[in-house]
Structures are given as C-alpha cells and as structure tokens.
C-alpha cells in the first residue's frame, strides 16, 4: 500500500503567512499535530510527509529545532505547562495553516499521516480504540472530521472512542476550541449541525463565552445557508437570540419551527420586554398548542424558555398569579411538593414562603457551592428568587448573615 505524503507542489504555492519557506513547512507539520507535541514528533512527521527543505533534502532534527526556535522567539508557540519540551502553535497561526492542509489534501491523507506517526491502525479493532495517546487521538479525530469523513465512519469513531476515552473532551479539543469556521464547514453536514447545536445550547444554558464563536458562525450560516441547519440548531439559535434581544435572528431561526415552539419563544420575548400580562397570555396559548402537538403536561418548552412563564406571574404579585406559578413549577418538577433544593422546587418553595405557607430554607437560595463552579441557569434562578423574596426574608434564618 502506498504511504501517504503531503503534496510538495501544492504546498510550494501556498501563502507562507510571513514565515520563511522551511519554517512554513515545519509549522504545517505542527498544525497537523494540532495539540502539544515535541520537536521529535514534528521531525518524524516531516520525514513521513515527504516534505524537504530548501536544499531539497530531508529535514534534519537541527532544521526543526531552528524553525521552532524562531517560532518561539516570535511568540508563535504555546508551551505545555506540564511538559516543557512540548508545544503547539498559537491559534492565530495553527488555524490558517490547518486550512491550507485541508485545501491541498483530500481523503484520508492527513489522518493516515497522524496514524503512521504513532504506529497505530484505526481499523485494527472494531471495538477498542487502538491507542491510549490523547494528543494522537485529538489530531486523528480532527483530520477525519475536517477531511469530510462520512457520517457512518464518524459515528463508529464515537462509539469506539467512548469505550476508553472522554469523547466530549476530545471533541472540544479537536474540533471546537479554538473554533475555525472555514475548517468547520468541511465536516459532514449532519455532524456539523449536531456539533454546532451542542455548542449553542451550552451558551444558552451556561453563558459559556468560549463557545460564542460557534454560535456566531451558526447565526451567519442561518443567513447564508439556512438549509444547512437542523431544526434543533435553529431552535437553539432562536433561544439564544431571545436571550440577546436579537429579534431579527430570532425570527429567521424560527422559520419552519413547530407553531407551539414559535409561540413559546415569542412569549419569552414579551416577558423579557417586561410585558407581564401579554407574556402570560402568550405563554398559556403556547403551552396549550404544545399539548396538542406532543401531548403530556410537562417539559412542553425548553427550560431556558419555560422559566419566563412563572417569572411573568411572579411579577404580577397577586395570590392568584402566585398560585398559578406554583402549580406550573410543581408540574415541571413532577411532584406536588418538590425539594426546595431542586431547580423547579426552588420556585415552588419561594412562592410558599411568600404566601406564608412554609418557613424559609435559606440554603435553597445559595447560587453555587464553589465560587469557581460554572454558573448555570439554576444559579440565576436562586439569585432572582432570593431578590424577589427580599434580603430581610432570605437572611431571617440567620440574622448574622450579611
């Protein structure tokens, strides 16, 4: 079988991005490896790739060391804090270099070079992943996804990898962070939409700024290639647009979405605009529509949207509105008396306290246990409900508390 090699002729015609010719070739090898690797790894990959230096000879270890030293001196390398000899290129350089590799090499060439470097055969086992190397796995997965591998192969990779490795962690490091839209567009459409959906939902639920570039890319694709986006991804974009008060993006994302979901997101926009009564009425109509579409009595709308319904009721302050809000929250929790420390149970408990039906459990309104923990929608609920009850009531169980 012919060994894969990089296309010398095509590479010679590339924009060298301000790098000397030999340094550019070394940097291309670093980009293919993507994550932290050593000079030895880069040198071995160059030998496998068939690339030669300006003298027409194979790259020596000294050539590689000289090139990476120049990159380091220009602040174009990121050092591995755990392994001083390991490094990867800065994002501003490795992303465009990887695009160059994709533009000049199709099929399995890039992934096979990664596999050959670490002497493993991805097809050797259909059950277990044949290497325990995380850097190799990240580089291989990136090469196969971004080279447009078919959906069936990618699904098999996920199945095999998940048995021995942390699939979500690998996907994030290989495909999403740092994010590069032009490379991401090479991914098979179903997987591309699924990965973008997961990133956008993470922004919706956790306000994770690191995934915002994926959401921005998806929003741009909605304007340019709406047919590329799955219904789930468009719904997530509509949710995010509602949170950001972007009515244009929201309406574009909702085209073709089920009527009940469209109505629910429209109701959420009214509540976020402070139109409590109109929002309440719109939510009740949306919930009725959703029941007719999917049946059931709970989880009719995404949580990131549904919570704005009881918020609209609490804002109207009357006992009737509070009872209605409690009934909804208990229904979402699936229990008549949910735990005050559960998500929807916290709402029900706050309402009971406000109506004088229960003594307050102050710990229910603690936003996060650890300051370093990621802030969630549930943490926001704790803060908002504590503010709604008031400082004096929340502190009542512990008068010395600030």
């Amino acid at each position: 079988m012919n060994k894969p090699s990089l296309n010398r002729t095509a590479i010679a015609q590339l924009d060298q991005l301000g790098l000397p010719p030999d340094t550019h070739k070394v940097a291309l090898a670093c980009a293919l490896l993507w994550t932290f690797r050593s000079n030895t790894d880069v040198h071995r990959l160059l030998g496998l790739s068939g690339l030669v230096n300006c003298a027409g000879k194979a790259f020596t270890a000294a050539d590689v060391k000289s090139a990476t030293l120049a990159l380091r001196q220009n602040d174009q390398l990121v050092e591995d804090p755990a392994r001083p000899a390991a490094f990867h290129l800065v994002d501003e350089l490795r992303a465009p270099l990887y695009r160059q590799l994709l533009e000049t090499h199709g099929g399995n060439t890039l992934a096979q070079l990664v596999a050959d470097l670490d002497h493993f055969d991805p097809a050797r086992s259909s059950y277990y992943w044949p290497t325990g190397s995380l850097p190799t796995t990240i580089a291989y997965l990136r090469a196969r996804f971004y080279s447009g591998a078919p959906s069936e192969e990618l699904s098999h990779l996920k199945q095999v990898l998940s048995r021995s490795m942390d699939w979500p962690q690998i996907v994030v490091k290989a495909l999403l962070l740092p994010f590069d839209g032009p490379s991401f567009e090479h991914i098979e459409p179903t997987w591309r939409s699924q990965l973008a959906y997961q990133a956008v939902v993470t922004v919706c639920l956790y306000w994770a700024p690191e995934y915002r570039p994926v959401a921005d890319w998806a929003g741009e694709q909605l304007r340019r290639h709406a047919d590329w986006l799955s219904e789930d991804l468009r719904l997530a974009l509509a949710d995010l647009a509602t949170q950001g008060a972007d009515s244009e993006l929201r309406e574009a994302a909702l085209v073709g979405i089920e009527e009940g979901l469209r109505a629910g997101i429209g109701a959420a926009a009214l509540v976020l605009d402070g139109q409590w009564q109109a929002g309440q009425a719109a939510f009740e109509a949306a919930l009725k529509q959703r029941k007719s579409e999917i049946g059931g009595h709970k989880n009719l709308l995404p949580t990131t949207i549904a919570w704005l319904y009881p918020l609209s009721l609490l804002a109207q302050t009357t006992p009737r509105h509070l009872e209605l809000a409690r009934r909804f929250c208990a229904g979402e929790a699936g229990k008549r008396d949910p735990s005050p420390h559960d998500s929807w149970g916290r709402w029900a408990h706050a309402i009971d306290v406000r109506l004088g039906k229960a003594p307050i459990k102050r710990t229910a309104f603690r936003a996060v246990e650890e300051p370093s923990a990621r802030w969630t929608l549930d943490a926001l609920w704790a803060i908002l409900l504590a503010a709604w009850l008031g400082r004096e009531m929340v502190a009542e169980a512990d008068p010395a508390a600030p």
Side-chain angles (χ1 to χ4, degrees), residues 33-69:
L33 294 174
W34 194 247
T35 190
F36 294 110
R37 300 299 283 257
S38 67
N39 274 335
T40 301
D41 295 327
V42 176
H43 179 225
R44 290 181 52 237
L45 181 62
L46 284 166
L48 291 169
S49 73
L51 293 183
V52 295
N53 61 22
C54 287
K57 298 181 179 180
F59 277 89
T60 66
D63 292 333
V64 173
K65 184 176 180 180
S66 176
T68 56
L69 177 61

Side-chain angles (χ1 to χ4, degrees), residues 279-311:
Q280 174 193 348
F283 260 118
E284 288 167 357
L287 291 167
K288 182 178 180 179
Q289 178 64 32
R290 288 296 287 161
K291 286 180 183 178
S292 69
E293 290 172 350
I294 64 174
H297 298 279
K298 57 182 289 189
N299 301 325
L300 298 173
L301 294 171
T303 303
T304 49
I305 294 298
W307 73 277
L308 293 164
Y309 174 52
L311 182 69

Side-chain angles (χ1 to χ4, degrees), residues 211-228:
Y211 294 106
R212 187 73 215 202
V214 188
D216 292 340
W217 172 86
E220 182 60 28
Q221 297 312 304
L222 180 65
R223 298 179 180 94
R224 293 171 48 207
H225 307 291
D227 56 319
W228 284 13

Side-chain angles (χ1 to χ4, degrees), residues 187-207:
I187 297 176
E188 186 275 330
T190 301
W191 273 93
R192 183 177 62 218
S193 202
Q194 179 182 332
L195 291 167
Y197 165 76
Q198 291 169 350
V200 175
V201 165
T202 302
V203 179
C204 290
L205 288 173
Y206 304 111
W207 308 291

Side-chain angles (χ1 to χ4, degrees), residues 15 33 62 71-72 75 103 133 144 149 155 166 180 196 226 269 278 283 301 308 316 333 373 394 396:
D15 178 357
L33 294 174
L71 291 167
R72 184 176 287 107
D75 296 324
E103 290 162 4
S133 169
R144 288 310 290 137
S155 296
D166 185 342
D180 182 56
F283 260 118
L301 294 171
L308 293 164
Q316 296 180 69
V394 171
E396 182 180 351

Side-chain angles (χ1 to χ4, degrees), residues 80-91:
D80 186 346
R83 295 186 301 154
F87 55 83
H88 67 65
L89 297 170
V90 295
D91 296 345

